[in-house]
Amino acid sequence: MNVKLRVITAGVLFFTGQAVLAQKKTNDSTKEVKIEEVVVLGYSKTSTKAKSTTSSVTVGSETLENRPNISVLNSIQGTAPGIVVNSASGSPGSGKFNILIRGMSSLNGSTDPLYVVDGVITSGSQFRNLNSYDIETFSILKDAQATAIYGNRAANGVVVITTKGGRFNSGLRVSYDALTSFSTFPKTDYNMSSGRQMLQVQKNLKSGFGNTKTQDEIDNWAIDTDWNKQFTKVGVSQQHNLAITGGGENINNYLSLGYLDSEGTIKSTDFKRFTLRNNLNGKSKDGRLTFGSIIGLGYSKRNQLDDETNTGIAGNVLQNPLFGGVLSPTYVAPSPYANGQELFNAIGQSSAANRAYILQDNINGGIKNRFTELSISANANVNYKLTDWLSVGNRTGIEYKEYERIFARSPQGYLAISVATGQGAKYGGFEQFTTTQDLTFNNITNITFNKTFGDHTISAAAYMDYIKAHVMTNQQVQNGLNPLQWSFGAGTGYIPFNPDTPNIYRPTVSASKITAGTLAYFGTVDYDYKDKYGISGVVRRDGSYRFLPTNRWETFWSAAVRWNIDKEDFMENSGFRLLKIRASIGTTGNQNLGISANNQNPLALLPNNFLDLYSGVSGYQNLLGYNFVNLSNPYLKWEQVKQSNIGLDYNYKGIVEGSIDYYQKRTTRMFNDLQRSAITGTYSFRGNDGILDNKGIEGLIRYNAIKTENTKLSVFVNASYNSNKIVSMSNEDLSDDIVNAIGGPASQYQLYQYLGVNSANGNMLFLDKNGNSTETPTSADRVLTGKSPYAKFTGGFGFNFQHKGWFLDTLFSFQQGGYIYDNLYSWVMNPNYAANNINVSSNLLNAWTPQNTGSDVPALRAANAGLDGSSDRFLYKSDFIRLKNISLGYSFTKEQLGQLPVRGIKVFVQAENLYTWSDWKGFDPEPITNYSLNVYPNPRTVSVGVNVDF
């Protein structure tokens, strides 16, 4: 099912089933063999694969459709070399993604690529409101020649998304797609204890509930609760999409409606979305004027866990339900209490022995966390050919997003009642409303020259790109809710403020407003000689509001060349349809000083680092005072990335095709905290310091093994290697377990080595800085490991098979070379947690004893317990190979359907994340994270679907 968008010289391109056909001026449709793949570039530019000088890759709609993923980013993993896509959360509608194109280009600035949808730069980075069925192509621009055209914000690569449109001279077509999915929560490999095993661990430890029981009572203990069933469920999801397309001689239109309803695998989480899109394109009768308008609407609502955006409860076993299925004591029956009030009446504030019950109350309504998102994306474009070789154009777009979060601790929830009781308040709970309005305006004007002089073709263009963003946020919090009147989000049941008790029912409000903007002027030029040789270049001048006028403007550039060897006379009978060498060098910039949170417009982050800022505070005797919020740095400049690339594209007889690239990237003037004397109370401020290098090689190959009328089989693999190194930095800080050390990779683990168990006494053994074993390591014994969370090898492989109407497609993704510290595993291997009624691994039953001196598990009461926290004992590889997607189905033809009023029907079953091969013991090795905390794992999903074309 691997259909690529291709350009055919015979006429207008269109798709029928899986065949690519060319429509000629007559009404016949004939198969065309001589076809060229389209390369989608920046600012609505396109090129053919043969003439492109860029390193880029395009993923077509056939890869993105019929997938159960809410965000299109989930569907990209493993499909293209050079781009690493890791979903950091399996919560429906989550915006937590780690996207890296050719490694990380910044230590403290944003590493997200620039996203462009239908030619307009977007503030989005999660695309939960973009229907993947509406996407025609998803293009990744990687080298300097591909990205320098976007100069500003393009240092981390560019993703260009093009949505579907209609076709001229086509009849009315209606298609309907439906997908029903079932998702399950993955399991850990921690070998968790059953009820009897946990009691036995406690008895062996001589602490905890099990220590109060006789051996006979433990051996006959009947309760063995599977807490996963209490916190998780089978998530049922459904998608419905309706598309209507059609076009006449001078106008065409694409209209789609989409609905999605997805349940999370953890109770109380879900996502619902409605989308509408209308893409209209037209032209004048003489073809000189072309125009279009695009409108995309999306509305979504999701309920998610508080931990998704609240890192403060990452390790909180009373508030984070992600731990409930693993850490809850299995010898305890599920909570019998209907609500938090009943639970509090029974246990009071004895939370330590009843954590599982409190977590159950949280997900059963004690804590509510709802997000809604309204998004409007609209743009209009027009282009007029003044002559056959000169044209002018404009594209103007807006993107408006309104986010609302309603968070509440229910007045009938245990946590609210417990806090209120501690404060001496009659009413507990609070409700918080946070609303963000985000409007981004983008205007692009261009003039383009394109002319052929014999064997020479020159194309040149000049552009002006203007972006303005307005972001407003307001928040209000009401403390004190009456359970008889309160309804979530309705504004009812609020307890009025009482000046006699000013710290109990006091409401709070806050607001912020940010205006941001950028302006750029740039030019592009492309030269071709006889389709054999090509030269391309870009020069761009960018200005950003983030910097003082002296540093506001920066110039970025690129230059590239290509040689189409297959066009040479000596290659005439070689069988190569494409054999091209290309090379490029250039610079891009980064103005995003920090890493924006989920839903946050990166343009609005840290807007005033070049200004001294003050804030009003309550001072002596409650008098108004002021303090520094930000100490200015007037010398702050852009981060700059310089990249060089050499690549080879090939296609041999249509049997073997692919590409290979080698690149080097150097980031200079990195955004970093500059250390200064604390005499003013300010220890550091943001500035430019340091150099970071990325080097890598990437390639893809597809082997079309069978290509007959009835049967097709192609096998593909893509892989990337990336290594990053910190070259220089004046403020190297080696005081922590995770450091950015000169000469090593970013976020490097600095730990001492764990050697195992001392067979003489059961204590843990470690390696000190002098190479000797010790039971009492100190922070000075830590060494740089060279290991980081960032995998060095990533990629994907699979095959596409068709036989008559049957099809079978597979996609595997993989990564190798990354490490994660498994906190959760360290907890369940900690005997002290068992003493505190937290479930542990049954591996502790094999702990060292005088009778079991050969064990690899330390003694339950090891004298140096806890000293392994800064060791590599729980540092594990995050390597995996994952069957990311497999799809099996059958396509019925019009002839098979007989008199049915449809053109075709396709039915299929497919699975996502079906199986993962990994030594990782936790839920999911995919997220890029230093520690395995706060991870909502990606689910295993099985779907059945149908596509109907009318």
Side-chain angles (χ1 to χ4, degrees), residues 40 156 323 390 444 515 536 910 950:
V40 179
N156 303 310
F323 301 135
L390 187 65
I444 303 162
T515 300
S536 302
Q910 69 98 19
F950 296 92

Side-chain angles (χ1 to χ4, degrees), residues 190 192-193 198 201 312-318 320 322-324 326-328 355 359 821-842 844 866 868-869 873-874 876 923 931-935:
Y190 295 147
M192 296 304 296
S193 297
M198 185 176 177
V201 170
I313 64 169
N316 192 318
V317 292
L318 281 179
N320 194 339
L322 288 174
F323 301 135
V326 176
L327 301 182
S328 298
R355 296 184 184 91
L359 289 177
Y821 190 92
D822 196 347
N823 287 79
L824 195 53
Y825 189 35
S826 73
W827 291 356
V828 302
M829 289 295 291
N830 188 337
N832 292 328
Y833 279 39
N836 286 283
N837 304 299
I838 294 174
N839 198 17
V840 291
S841 171
S842 62
L844 293 180
D868 54 350
R873 181 185 178 190
F874 296 103
Y876 286 93
F923 288 118
Y931 299 103
S932 64
L933 292 178
N934 233 34
V935 175

Side-chain angles (χ1 to χ4, degrees), residues 167-240:
R167 297 184 299 272
F168 295 111
N169 300 311
S170 63
L172 180 68
R173 299 197 66 170
V174 180
S175 64
Y176 169 72
D177 304 281
L179 189 72
T180 300
S181 307
F182 305 89
S183 300
T184 56
F185 194 78
K187 296 180 179 180
T188 66
D189 192 26
Y190 295 147
N191 197 20
M192 296 304 296
S193 297
S194 65
R196 294 177 185 177
Q197 288 173 327
M198 185 176 177
L199 291 172
Q200 189 64 57
V201 170
Q202 291 175 325
K203 190 166 185 66
N204 295 348
L205 184 63
K206 296 182 172 57
S207 182
F209 182 68
N211 194 43
T212 66
K213 301 299 177 183
T214 65
Q215 190 62 49
D216 185 62
E217 287 176 317
I218 293 175
D219 293 341
N220 292 283
W221 192 262
I223 300 174
D224 184 18
T225 301
D226 183 353
W227 283 100
N228 283 312
K229 293 182 178 179
Q230 304 302 316
F231 289 93
T232 69
K233 63 180 180 180
V234 175
V236 181
S237 306
Q238 57 176 318
Q239 293 188 56
H240 300 276

Side-chain angles (χ1 to χ4, degrees), residues 769-807:
K769 61 182 178 181
N770 298 316
N772 302 315
S773 62
T774 178
E775 293 183 0
T776 57
T778 67
S779 59
D781 293 316
R782 296 177 305 187
V783 295
L784 296 172
T785 63
K787 301 171 181 177
S788 81
Y790 300 98
K792 292 186 176 181
F793 295 92
T794 59
F797 59 92
F799 65 83
N800 306 112
F801 175 75
Q802 294 179 19
H803 179 68
K804 296 184 178 179
W806 291 98
F807 61 87

